[in-house]
Amino acid sequence: MAEPVSQNAPEDDPDRSEADKPRLSRSEERGGSRRRRAKPAKKRSFWKELPILLVIALVLTILIQTFLAKVFMIPSGSMEATLHGCPGCTGDRILVDRVTYDFTEPSPGDVIVFKGPQAWINNEVPPQESGNIVVRGLRGLGSLVGFAPPDERDFVKRVIAVGGQTVQCCDPQDRVIVDGKALDEPYIHWEDPSVQQQKTFDPVKVPAGTVWVMGDNRNNSDDSRYQGGGGVNGAVPVDNIIGKARIIVLPPGRWGGITDHNPQEAAQPVALGAPAWQSGLPLGAGIAAAWPALFVGRKLKSGLRRAAGRKP
């Protein structure tokens, strides 16, 4: 006699045949199938992710421009034609390297962006700040990414001489002189090609820890020659330098690197001319000494002849 199957026997008893196992309904089978399969994560919609992406991009932009590189637009015609900034031109947006001068010192030929020293900004009219908080916010954002002029008084010029060097202008060929050598400056821009003459200035020894800067548009640049009354007051402290201008990023038609040609590498020694009255001194002294020398020579010759005539 066969023993009856216990009602409490487990369904997965290996001794139990498939025919003896109770059948599941289709709904139960589907439910088990869903439990066995991993439920895929539901994707967040694009419009929900977009604000997150924008915030991340903004934070990264701020960090990069604060510590590594920043885009500047400085509306100035003093660096024509290396950088466009003249009235009517599309101002260049330049990428400024903020890391280089953490490891090296500024060199002659570097195009730098710097905060104007106090002597430079004393006579400057501060920019008018809008009372509208939205306008100020948009301006700040535009300045951050280089699409609006910055609020602070920032300048862009080229380093001509560094601390300890003596700079002056000019030699007979109208070249700037540093430590007695005439500079090689192929980047100079003349607004009027028929007038290629620089404005002269007396020798200035650049103080230690500063640089002497000038614009490439040499006769249309308020630079170290004039700021603060000129002289040592026109030098820019190295601590004021924001960074080195590397690349023109906008407009697209002017994209490219910014020359850092060192004007001192091919500098040529020059003999500085003295004022006209000083140049005439040797000639006058020679003429004045000629008459006594001639008189003494004649007397000496006459004496020798008389002495020779007395000999037996």
Side-chain angles (χ1 to χ4, degrees):
M1 181 177 179
E3 295 181 0
V5 178
S6 172
Q7 296 296 324
N8 296 326
E11 294 179 359
D12 55 351
D13 186 353
D15 296 331
R16 193 175 181 184
S17 66
E18 288 294 324
D20 294 331
K21 293 180 181 180
R23 294 185 176 276
L24 300 175
S25 66
R26 290 185 177 179
S27 60
E28 290 175 330
E29 289 178 351
R30 287 195 297 270
S33 177
R34 282 196 297 270
R35 284 193 296 271
R36 286 192 297 271
R37 292 197 301 267
K39 188 176 181 180
K42 186 178 180 181
K43 291 185 177 180
R44 190 183 288 115
S45 70
F46 170 76
W47 297 109
K48 289 182 178 179
E49 289 186 344
L50 182 60
I52 299 175
L53 294 174
L54 291 176
V55 170
I56 294 174
L58 183 59
V59 171
L60 291 176
T61 299
I62 293 173
L63 291 175
I64 290 172
Q65 298 215 52
T66 300
F67 299 104
L68 299 179
K70 183 175 181 180
V71 177
F72 278 82
M73 182 189 75
I74 301 178
S76 170
S78 67
M79 285 298 292
E80 293 282 347
T82 302
L83 301 176
H84 278 180
C86 62
C89 295
T90 301
D92 287 343
R93 273 68 168 179
I94 54 177
L95 183 68
V96 175
D97 173 3
R98 307 189 71 151
V99 179
T100 293
Y101 297 135
D102 290 338
F103 305 98
T104 61
E105 294 296 322
S107 301
D110 289 356
V111 176
I112 61 172
V113 172
F114 57 93
K115 292 185 180 297
Q118 194 61 42
W120 286 51
I121 62 177
N122 281 336
N123 298 325
E124 294 286 343
V125 178
Q128 297 296 319
E129 188 68 33
S130 173
N132 189 315
I133 189 171
V134 176
V135 173
R136 291 204 305 269
L138 291 175
R139 178 184 175 87
L141 181 61
S143 174
L144 180 66
V145 295
F147 284 96
D151 292 332
E152 59 270 16
R153 296 300 303 172
D154 293 340
F155 298 82
V156 57
K157 306 289 181 186
R158 189 181 297 272
V159 176
I160 299 300
V162 297
Q165 295 186 315
T166 299
V167 57
Q168 67 184 100
C169 189
C170 298
D171 76 341
Q173 282 73 47
D174 201 51
R175 297 172 296 184
V176 173
I177 302 166
V178 174
D179 289 344
K181 294 183 178 181
L183 301 184
D184 171 40
E185 298 189 276
Y187 43 72
I188 291 181
H189 173 70
W190 305 104
E191 289 188 336
D192 185 353
S194 64
V195 183
Q196 298 188 11
Q197 184 175 3
Q198 302 190 61
K199 298 176 182 177
T200 62
F201 60 92
D202 294 331
V204 178
K205 185 171 183 178
V206 183
T210 68
V211 293
W212 183 271
V213 296
M214 298 172 70
D216 290 356
N217 191 358
R218 194 51 52 85
N219 289 338
N220 187 24
S221 174
D222 290 332
D223 45 42
S224 293
R225 296 170 292 176
Y226 311 110
Q227 296 284 0
V232 295
N233 290 334
V236 176
V238 173
D239 290 342
N240 282 46
I241 298 176
I242 296 172
K244 180 178 179 178
R246 293 282 190 183
I247 301 172
I248 300 172
V249 295
L250 285 175
R254 282 183 51 79
W255 188 92
I258 298 172
T259 173
D260 58 356
H261 173 82
N262 187 340
Q264 297 187 21
E265 282 187 355
Q268 301 175 358
V270 301
L272 299 179
W277 68 272
Q278 294 180 6
S279 300
L281 286 178
L283 178 61
I287 294 174
W291 293 107
L294 181 61
F295 177 78
V296 171
R298 286 177 176 175
K299 288 291 184 180
L300 181 60
K301 185 178 180 180
S302 176
L304 292 174
R305 286 176 177 176
R306 287 197 297 272
R310 295 193 190 102
K311 291 182 179 180

